[in-house]
Amino acid sequence: MIIKDRSYPHPVLTPFRDDVHPNDFSLKLSVMPDADNYYLDVEFVYSNPTITNMVESERAVHCIHIECRRNYYREIFTSRAKTARLTIPATEMVGRVEVSGFVKASKTLSTYSIEGAHADYGDTTFHLQDGDPLAVAETYIFDAYVDYDPLKTVKSILNIRCSEEVVEGPMKIDTGDDNQIIVTLSKQDYRRYTDLKGNPSLGPLLANQVVVPAILEAVVEIRKTSEDEIELEMRKKWFRSITKKLEDSKIDPRSSEVSAFDAVQTILRLPLRRSLEGLYRLDPLDDAEQ
Amino acid sequence: MKLQFFSHSLTRQLRDEAESNFPNYGSDCSWFESFVESGPYLRESRYVVDPPPVLLLPDDQGNLHDAENARRIFSWLKGLSPSTAMEERLWACLTHSVFPGYMAKRWPVTSANTIGRRYLLEGQSFAALSRNGISRLWWAGYLTIDEGRRDPFELTDVLFLRQDIQVSLLERSIGKCHNVRHAVLDFFLRNREWLQEKSFGKRIQVILRELNLLGGVMILDGLPAGTLEKFLDRIAADVAKDDEKTTAIEDAIAI
């Protein structure tokens, strides 16, 4: 449920309208996932004395409404306190989740009026029932995926394959798979790659020959994705993983403020330096003696 | 036995090749083995389940047995989590590999669209879960079971009494609201005569529309069942009154 501007039959405290002044009413939310649960820390922020009094006198209650867009999960949590921690099993929600916060009447209020009501309301009082909203905050949206796989294990989102047809030719990168970025090497290159990667000093260099362009392609792909398509693309594990890694590195995945190449170097932790260090460790004399 | 599911690549292949492949779908499933002959395509989940139930086939009297089959599927896969029950690979496996005979009878394939809609999951919306031939049975059980009733599947039976009820509650956002869903089903349980009404389809649309409007200015989630019951009775009385008026006018015009 996304709460937008609505016209209510009684004055409602909400940033969408000037029914009540000041119209400060918001929900602060932080979401922390682990393997089993989502932990939602919520805080209602407002100063209206009528709402405060209604909640304290148990005539109204804070509500958090959570709805998962891709399945049937839709729950409401209530609390007298302005802050709360909600724990939701990770198995309940997948994909885009809408979190709305409001205060609703929890019993019949026969002569309701609110401090700060717009002058147009005059001395009018209202008959409200259990369930009528008294204050409404803007809806917050987050994407629920607990399989974030930071790129420390790049191979979980990158699959390097040998081409079945091409004997000698360029490397191909496919970002169309739901789980992994598929890198296909020609038969000869794949043989060379597997032969050489056993050498621990060459490992970083070889990996980066494949990993850097693949992740670069992925970052560009994320940036190209329109706002409308983000939700759909988030079903891809690699898409989520790289998006999360960029966010963890304080890089806006959708902004081109930082160049795609700089972004890749940041999330792969300076791949060139690691490759060159590997080369430094190669001692030609060792090879000659073998 | 462990519950099995298809690989990503097979699921994708079934979708990609649906257009050329749809004539193969039918009670003879021999095509499937040759279709998947390249490489292992079955995966094992961590769910240990009993052997699959026998599903009742639609009969010549027009009985689809959806409610009974929903009981069987949900009871069989009761331990499934909602996130697992959103997995296309699972439902693709059950429709193609475990219940192909049932699927051929209940959802005969006439075009590639039927494969996308009934054998796989069509799109990312929650409504797709209510369209796949097997997942709809599981979700119907999951969303309507009420352990507080003498027969926990009493509301599941009501859900499948009319196609309009399923569509209104499983494909519309208002049906995601647990207490609204149960209150509406309970209303039809109490007012079975409504189901015989000629204009039932229109009536349920109006009821859901009114509830939706009410939800626009009121928080329906979390309202006590008794309060919702009163709302529904009031809305239903108005709907029936309007309906009688309309019918009378239509009859008068016809005369």
Side-chain angles (χ1 to χ4, degrees), chain A residues 245-246 248-251 258-271:
Chain A
K245 193 67 182 170
L246 287 166
D248 287 350
S249 303
K250 311 281 183 232
I251 296 172
V258 177
S259 78
F261 191 54
D262 282 350
V264 170
Q265 290 186 81
T266 305
I267 61 178
L268 289 179
R269 307 226 170 104
L270 305 177

Short mmCIF file of all heavy atoms in Angstrom, two decimals, chain A residues 245-246 248-251 258-271:
data_model
loop_
_atom_site.label_atom_id
_atom_site.label_comp_id
_atom_site.label_asym_id
_atom_site.label_seq_id
_atom_site.Cartn_x
_atom_site.Cartn_y
_atom_site.Cartn_z
N LYS A 245 26.83 -3.79 -3.21
CA LYS A 245 28.25 -3.52 -3.00
C LYS A 245 28.57 -2.04 -3.30
O LYS A 245 29.35 -1.42 -2.59
CB LYS A 245 29.07 -4.44 -3.92
CG LYS A 245 30.54 -4.48 -3.58
CD LYS A 245 30.78 -5.13 -2.24
CE LYS A 245 32.26 -5.11 -1.90
NZ LYS A 245 32.50 -5.52 -0.52
N LEU A 246 27.95 -1.52 -4.34
CA LEU A 246 28.15 -0.10 -4.67
C LEU A 246 27.62 0.77 -3.53
O LEU A 246 28.27 1.73 -3.10
CB LEU A 246 27.43 0.24 -5.98
CG LEU A 246 28.07 -0.30 -7.26
CD1 LEU A 246 27.10 -0.19 -8.44
CD2 LEU A 246 29.35 0.44 -7.59
N ASP A 248 27.27 -0.03 -0.44
CA ASP A 248 28.16 -0.17 0.72
C ASP A 248 29.40 0.70 0.57
O ASP A 248 30.00 1.12 1.55
CB ASP A 248 28.58 -1.64 0.90
CG ASP A 248 27.44 -2.49 1.45
OD1 ASP A 248 26.40 -1.89 1.84
OD2 ASP A 248 27.57 -3.72 1.46
N SER A 249 29.80 0.91 -0.68
CA SER A 249 30.98 1.74 -0.94
C SER A 249 30.61 3.21 -1.10
O SER A 249 31.40 4.01 -1.61
CB SER A 249 31.69 1.26 -2.21
OG SER A 249 32.05 -0.09 -2.10
N LYS A 250 29.37 3.54 -0.72
CA LYS A 250 28.86 4.93 -0.80
C LYS A 250 28.84 5.45 -2.23
O LYS A 250 29.07 6.63 -2.49
CB LYS A 250 29.70 5.89 0.08
CG LYS A 250 29.93 5.41 1.50
CD LYS A 250 28.71 5.65 2.35
CE LYS A 250 28.93 5.25 3.80
NZ LYS A 250 27.94 4.37 4.34
N ILE A 251 28.61 4.56 -3.18
CA ILE A 251 28.49 4.99 -4.58
C ILE A 251 27.04 4.77 -4.99
O ILE A 251 26.51 3.66 -4.85
CB ILE A 251 29.42 4.16 -5.50
CG1 ILE A 251 30.88 4.41 -5.12
CG2 ILE A 251 29.18 4.51 -6.97
CD1 ILE A 251 31.86 3.50 -5.83
N VAL A 258 30.33 9.19 -10.24
CA VAL A 258 31.60 8.46 -10.24
C VAL A 258 31.61 7.64 -11.52
O VAL A 258 30.60 7.00 -11.85
CB VAL A 258 31.67 7.52 -9.01
CG1 VAL A 258 32.95 6.68 -9.04
CG2 VAL A 258 31.57 8.31 -7.73
N SER A 259 32.72 7.64 -12.27
CA SER A 259 32.72 6.90 -13.53
C SER A 259 32.57 5.40 -13.25
O SER A 259 32.92 4.91 -12.17
CB SER A 259 34.03 7.15 -14.28
OG SER A 259 35.06 6.39 -13.70
N ALA A 260 32.04 4.70 -14.23
CA ALA A 260 31.81 3.26 -14.05
C ALA A 260 33.12 2.55 -13.73
O ALA A 260 33.18 1.65 -12.89
CB ALA A 260 31.17 2.68 -15.31
N PHE A 261 34.18 2.99 -14.37
CA PHE A 261 35.47 2.32 -14.16
C PHE A 261 36.00 2.58 -12.74
O PHE A 261 36.53 1.67 -12.09
CB PHE A 261 36.47 2.79 -15.22
CG PHE A 261 37.73 1.97 -15.24
CD1 PHE A 261 37.66 0.58 -15.38
CD2 PHE A 261 38.97 2.57 -15.12
CE1 PHE A 261 38.82 -0.19 -15.38
CE2 PHE A 261 40.13 1.80 -15.12
CZ PHE A 261 40.06 0.42 -15.26
N ASP A 262 35.82 3.82 -12.27
CA ASP A 262 36.24 4.12 -10.88
C ASP A 262 35.41 3.29 -9.90
O ASP A 262 35.93 2.79 -8.89
CB ASP A 262 36.04 5.61 -10.58
CG ASP A 262 37.15 6.46 -11.18
OD1 ASP A 262 38.14 5.87 -11.65
OD2 ASP A 262 37.02 7.70 -11.21
N ALA A 263 34.12 3.16 -10.21
CA ALA A 263 33.24 2.39 -9.32
C ALA A 263 33.71 0.94 -9.25
O ALA A 263 33.78 0.35 -8.17
CB ALA A 263 31.79 2.46 -9.84
N VAL A 264 34.08 0.38 -10.39
CA VAL A 264 34.55 -1.02 -10.41
C VAL A 264 35.84 -1.16 -9.60
O VAL A 264 35.99 -2.11 -8.82
CB VAL A 264 34.75 -1.48 -11.86
CG1 VAL A 264 35.45 -2.84 -11.90
CG2 VAL A 264 33.41 -1.57 -12.59
N GLN A 265 36.74 -0.20 -9.76
CA GLN A 265 38.00 -0.28 -9.02
C GLN A 265 37.76 -0.20 -7.52
O GLN A 265 38.45 -0.84 -6.73
CB GLN A 265 38.95 0.83 -9.47
CG GLN A 265 39.45 0.62 -10.88
CD GLN A 265 40.49 1.65 -11.24
OE1 GLN A 265 41.66 1.51 -10.87
NE2 GLN A 265 40.07 2.70 -11.93
N THR A 266 36.76 0.59 -7.13
CA THR A 266 36.46 0.72 -5.70
C THR A 266 35.89 -0.59 -5.16
O THR A 266 36.34 -1.09 -4.12
CB THR A 266 35.45 1.87 -5.46
OG1 THR A 266 35.99 3.05 -6.02
CG2 THR A 266 35.19 2.07 -3.98
N ILE A 267 34.92 -1.15 -5.88
CA ILE A 267 34.28 -2.34 -5.30
C ILE A 267 35.17 -3.58 -5.41
O ILE A 267 35.06 -4.50 -4.62
CB ILE A 267 32.87 -2.62 -5.87
CG1 ILE A 267 32.88 -2.86 -7.38
CG2 ILE A 267 31.91 -1.51 -5.53
CD1 ILE A 267 31.50 -3.17 -7.95
N LEU A 268 36.10 -3.57 -6.37
CA LEU A 268 37.03 -4.71 -6.45
C LEU A 268 38.32 -4.44 -5.67
O LEU A 268 39.28 -5.22 -5.75
CB LEU A 268 37.36 -5.03 -7.91
CG LEU A 268 36.22 -5.64 -8.73
CD1 LEU A 268 36.66 -5.88 -10.17
CD2 LEU A 268 35.74 -6.95 -8.14
N ARG A 269 38.34 -3.33 -4.96
CA ARG A 269 39.48 -2.96 -4.12
C ARG A 269 40.78 -2.92 -4.93
O ARG A 269 41.69 -3.72 -4.71
CB ARG A 269 39.61 -3.92 -2.93
CG ARG A 269 38.31 -4.04 -2.17
CD ARG A 269 38.53 -3.95 -0.69
NE ARG A 269 37.25 -3.84 -0.04
CZ ARG A 269 36.65 -4.84 0.60
NH1 ARG A 269 37.23 -5.99 0.70
NH2 ARG A 269 35.48 -4.65 1.15
N LEU A 270 40.83 -1.98 -5.86
CA LEU A 270 42.04 -1.70 -6.65
C LEU A 270 42.62 -2.96 -7.31
O LEU A 270 43.70 -3.44 -6.94
CB LEU A 270 43.09 -1.01 -5.77
CG LEU A 270 42.60 0.27 -5.08
CD1 LEU A 270 43.68 0.84 -4.18
CD2 LEU A 270 42.14 1.32 -6.09
N PRO A 271 41.96 -3.47 -8.29
CA PRO A 271 42.40 -4.72 -8.92
C PRO A 271 43.76 -4.61 -9.61
O PRO A 271 44.54 -5.57 -9.60
CB PRO A 271 41.30 -5.00 -9.94
CG PRO A 271 40.62 -3.69 -10.19
CD PRO A 271 40.73 -2.94 -8.91
#
